[in-house]
Amino acid sequence: MNADELIGILRKGEGPQVEFKSDFPKQVDDIAKEMAAFANSGGGILLMGVSDDGTLPGILNPDKVADRLAGVARFLPISPEIDKFQLSKNVFIVYARIHPCAPCFYRDRIYHRVGSTSEPCTSSEQLNRILASHSLPAEQMTKRTPPRKRNVWSDYWFVNVGEGAHRNWDDNRRYGFISAGQGSTYSRFLKRLKIGDKIFTYMKKLGYVGYGEVTREALMIKDFVPEGESKPLLELPLRAKHADENSDNPELSEWAIGVKWLRSYPAEDARRFKGAFANQNVVCELRDSETIEFLEREFEISR
């Protein structure tokens, strides 16, 4: 989100696709209902640190709020884009952009947006509007109908890898790691991954390039020694010319996790298909069944 987009949203105020929250509410249910309602109503943006009247008290601990938003999303069949926008030196807005993902259940109910509020569906007509692009008519849906297959977490993680001055896919493959950083907004997502997690790595505009298992949790890149090497990563020949930038600053440093690559491809041989799942977040849960089936074939995975 850039300044112009934020200003445009603030000028229009709350509505069917926008919700303001001055801070994270005491009841997590309040956020879960908003997220589910957006997913069922064509998507929307949740802004934390904005009062109902559009004034900007901001968030003093944006990383904590972003982590809490990501935690709520894990209980829903969604993978929102979560990030922060800096208002001043120590004050931020945290935002979550929720994409359409109907039907999205929360506590066995379907919520939707009615004006600038999120309410449970109470009639078959409301359900039909939400499910219009899906095959099941509302009368066949009950409040205890489970989500469709695509909404079940696969236990795979989606991870964005990038090419640039700070990181390089060839380095990742050669030395068995992935990294993120140059701001805690990015590195904190990498820290969600634990030893034993299975990941698929994705390169923007190219496709999926790797499948592996996490072998080491996140370390500052200056402390990371690749498996089988006697020297720290930053002392080895790297294509990423500035991987060491800010390496003494925990907030800005690149952070790296160890990965055992079970199968990987060079960038020019990335695997993709039209409609494959992709997300701007560094790390998120991979739930899309069509993408999962495609990746299990392409990376020769049997479960």
Side-chain angles (χ1 to χ4, degrees):
M1 179 179 294
N2 57 37
D4 290 340
E5 184 181 4
L6 176 60
I7 291 170
I9 292 172
L10 295 175
R11 284 176 175 170
K12 291 180 179 179
E14 291 184 300
Q17 265 66 55
V18 177
E19 178 71 26
F20 297 160
K21 297 288 185 186
S22 59
D23 204 347
F24 200 98
K26 293 181 179 180
Q27 299 297 325
V28 173
D29 280 2
D30 292 343
I31 292 296
K33 292 173 185 177
E34 303 284 9
M35 287 183 165
F38 279 136
N40 287 321
S41 305
I45 296 176
L46 179 63
L47 287 177
M48 311 291 294
V50 181
S51 298
D52 289 344
D53 61 3
T55 55
L56 304 172
I59 297 292
L60 295 178
N61 194 336
D63 289 340
K64 180 179 179 181
V65 170
D67 285 340
R68 294 189 71 185
L69 287 171
V72 173
R74 292 185 66 177
F75 292 95
L76 299 168
I78 61 173
S79 295
E81 300 167 26
I82 301 171
D83 209 337
K84 60 187 179 183
F85 183 91
Q86 191 166 8
L87 296 174
S88 62
K89 183 177 180 180
N90 297 312
V91 181
F92 295 78
I93 286 174
V94 178
Y95 65 89
R97 191 186 302 272
I98 294 96
H99 300 290
C101 184
C104 177
F105 287 77
Y106 179 66
R107 295 191 183 277
D108 297 330
R109 304 193 77 175
I110 291 182
Y111 290 84
H112 67 143
R113 295 288 287 179
V114 179
S116 60
T117 63
S118 297
E119 299 180 1
C121 290
T122 57
S123 70
S124 60
E125 289 77 17
Q126 292 173 344
L127 287 174
N128 273 326
R129 282 196 294 270
I130 291 173
L131 302 170
S133 61
H134 296 264
S135 58
L136 285 179
E139 56 267 21
Q140 294 182 20
M141 303 289 290
T142 69
K143 55 186 282 186
R144 297 192 177 276
T145 303
R148 293 170 19 151
K149 180 182 178 183
R150 65 174 292 150
N151 293 333
V152 177
W153 184 30
S154 60
D155 291 330
Y156 295 129
W157 291 91
F158 169 96
V159 181
N160 261 308
V161 294
E163 295 277 80
H166 302 106
R167 59 197 73 90
N168 180 276
W169 175 236
D170 290 338
D171 293 339
N172 297 154
R173 295 180 72 201
R174 180 177 181 181
Y175 296 117
F177 77 103
I178 53 175
S179 68
Q182 307 311 308
S184 59
T185 296
Y186 308 105
S187 59
R188 63 184 172 81
F189 283 103
L190 198 68
K191 296 173 187 178
R192 296 177 67 185
L193 298 174
K194 306 299 181 185
I195 293 173
D197 283 345
K198 298 295 196 304
I199 65 171
F200 282 105
T201 52
Y202 179 85
M203 297 187 72
K204 186 177 181 181
K205 297 183 179 180
L206 295 178
Y208 288 87
V209 290
Y211 169 65
E213 179 178 332
V214 176
T215 58
R216 252 183 298 173
E217 295 183 11
L219 292 170
M220 289 177 65
I221 198 166
K222 69 176 184 176
D223 300 322
F224 187 85
V225 179
E227 189 73 26
E229 300 287 345
S230 58
K231 296 180 180 180
L233 180 64
L234 292 181
E235 295 181 19
L236 298 171
L238 297 174
R239 289 179 176 267
K241 300 301 183 183
H242 299 292
D244 61 345
E245 188 170 350
N246 300 311
S247 59
D248 290 321
N249 184 331
E251 290 295 312
L252 297 178
S253 172
E254 288 288 301
W255 286 69
I257 64 169
V259 179
K260 177 184 177 182
W261 297 113
L262 303 174
R263 184 171 293 274
S264 65
Y265 300 105
E268 60 270 21
D269 197 22
R271 307 304 167 97
R272 66 179 300 173
F273 67 93
K274 186 176 181 180
F277 175 83
N279 193 286
Q280 293 181 1
N281 286 336
V282 175
V283 174
C284 68
E285 296 171 355
L286 183 56
R287 294 173 176 265
D288 185 80
S289 61
E290 188 176 5
T291 300
I292 292 164
E293 291 168 5
F294 169 81
L295 293 174
E296 288 182 336
R297 290 195 306 272
E298 292 295 314
F299 289 85
E300 301 178 13
I301 301 166
S302 57
R303 294 208 293 172

